[in-house]
Amino acid sequence: MNIEPIHQFNIEPLFKIGQIGDQPIYFTNSSAYMLLTVALISLLMIGGAAGKQLVPGRFQSMAEITYEFVASTIRSNAGAEGMKFFPLIFSIFMFICVSNLVGVIPYAFTLSSHIIITATLALLVFFTVMIYGFYKNGLKFFKIFVPSGIPIYILPLVVFIEVFSFFLRPVSHSVRLFANMLAGHIALKVFAGFVALLGVSLGAVGWIGGIAPLALTIAIYALEILVAFLQAYVFAILTVIYLNDAIHPGH
């Protein structure tokens, strides 16, 4: 039996939608899962807003909980002024969280396991911080590179480190999510495949011997569900922290 842990990340064309020069443009499985993710989020939000009951139902409760969760995260890290970015942060959080949870389903496709997806989201946040920071603060935005209370003789070194780390934010922001989802799904596929390999190769003895890796597979699967939510939260809270720099530079 051939265990291919990387095969689950392949982007497969489903049908051709156009062509630019010699380059065909395809609607892929990645595109389909993006649409599915948006559809699920829309269903949750529309279903939650449709009832507006005093005693909320399941859809309304989920919608209200996610709304308040993101709103409280923004208020506690960026203040009331940060709420102007609520639509952006809420959209990013829900997109990553729902797509991660969909990706945990066996044989599903995980969007955040591709660096192009996470890098696009990270660059969106990075340029939003840059543009809004200069729009709101002008040249005072550069205060984020000059921490207060730093002795003058090490200030150039500190400023260099701050500038360097600022431009590395999109890298760390995107790679953290990508690497966690990629590594977790590979580990899950390897252990699950190992159980099947033992059963096929050794028969009844193999199935008995596969109890331990099966238990580990179940544990990893439960951990992946938790990681799917945690990585969405980490990405969202880092977005809030970075946007707080644009709102309150030098604080």
Side-chain angles (χ1 to χ4, degrees), residues 128-218:
T128 300
V129 170
M130 290 276 289
I131 293 170
Y132 183 78
F134 282 113
Y135 168 76
K136 182 179 184 293
N137 305 287
L139 295 179
K140 292 181 180 179
F141 179 63
F142 287 112
K143 286 183 178 180
I144 65 171
F145 304 128
V146 188
S148 59
I150 300 297
I152 190 66
Y153 55 88
I154 63 169
L155 186 59
L157 176 61
V158 172
V159 170
F160 171 77
I161 293 173
E162 289 290 330
V163 172
F164 185 71
S165 63
F166 179 82
F167 284 98
L168 277 182
R169 282 181 178 181
V171 178
S172 61
H173 205 185
S174 59
V175 170
R176 182 183 291 105
L177 173 59
F178 154 74
N180 275 280
M181 299 310 297
L182 182 75
H185 281 61
I186 289 177
L188 189 61
K189 181 65 179 287
V190 168
F191 280 102
F194 186 58
V195 174
L197 185 63
L198 283 174
V200 171
S201 302
L202 303 178
V205 176
W207 289 117
I208 295 173
I211 292 176
L214 176 60
L216 186 57
T217 301
I218 295 172

Side-chain angles (χ1 to χ4, degrees), residues 3-251:
I3 301 174
E4 298 180 356
I6 303 298
H7 180 73
Q8 59 184 312
F9 307 114
N10 288 349
I11 296 180
E12 304 290 345
L14 300 180
F15 56 86
K16 185 176 179 181
I17 59 176
Q19 186 162 334
I20 299 177
D22 296 331
Q23 179 62 48
I25 302 174
Y26 291 98
F27 185 87
T28 65
N29 55 343
S30 179
S31 306
Y33 275 92
M34 287 184 195
L35 288 178
L36 175 62
T37 299
V38 173
L40 291 174
I41 296 171
S42 301
L43 180 63
L44 173 62
M45 293 297 106
I46 293 172
K52 295 183 180 179
Q53 300 173 355
L54 183 61
V55 179
R58 282 173 291 184
F59 277 108
Q60 186 177 341
S61 295
M62 291 177 63
E64 290 178 356
I65 289 171
T66 53
Y67 178 95
E68 187 54 38
F69 176 77
V70 176
S72 62
T73 300
I74 296 173
R75 293 192 195 101
S76 60
N77 290 279
E81 192 175 353
M83 285 299 292
K84 65 178 64 179
F85 293 103
F86 176 84
L88 172 65
I89 298 165
F90 184 81
S91 299
I92 289 175
F93 171 77
M94 290 300 293
F95 181 82
I96 295 174
C97 186
V98 173
S99 64
N100 284 354
L101 291 173
V102 169
V104 173
I105 299 172
Y107 302 105
F109 183 84
T110 308
L111 292 171
S112 56
S113 65
H114 285 262
I115 189 67
I116 187 63
I117 303 294
T118 60
T120 300
L121 294 174
L123 287 172
L124 171 63
V125 174
F126 179 76
F127 285 115
T128 300
V129 170
M130 290 276 289
I131 293 170
Y132 183 78
F134 282 113
Y135 168 76
K136 182 179 184 293
N137 305 287
L139 295 179
K140 292 181 180 179
F141 179 63
F142 287 112
K143 286 183 178 180
I144 65 171
F145 304 128
V146 188
S148 59
I150 300 297
I152 190 66
Y153 55 88
I154 63 169
L155 186 59
L157 176 61
V158 172
V159 170
F160 171 77
I161 293 173
E162 289 290 330
V163 172
F164 185 71
S165 63
F166 179 82
F167 284 98
L168 277 182
R169 282 181 178 181
V171 178
S172 61
H173 205 185
S174 59
V175 170
R176 182 183 291 105
L177 173 59
F178 154 74
N180 275 280
M181 299 310 297
L182 182 75
H185 281 61
I186 289 177
L188 189 61
K189 181 65 179 287
V190 168
F191 280 102
F194 186 58
V195 174
L197 185 63
L198 283 174
V200 171
S201 302
L202 303 178
V205 176
W207 289 117
I208 295 173
I211 292 176
L214 176 60
L216 186 57
T217 301
I218 295 172
I220 293 176
Y221 191 84
L223 181 62
E224 278 298 289
I225 295 175
L226 177 62
V227 168
F229 171 78
L230 285 179
Q231 286 304 312
Y233 173 70
V234 169
F235 198 98
I237 198 169
L238 286 176
T239 299
V240 176
I241 293 171
Y242 295 158
L243 286 169
N244 185 55
D245 288 339
I247 299 170
H248 307 110
H251 286 251

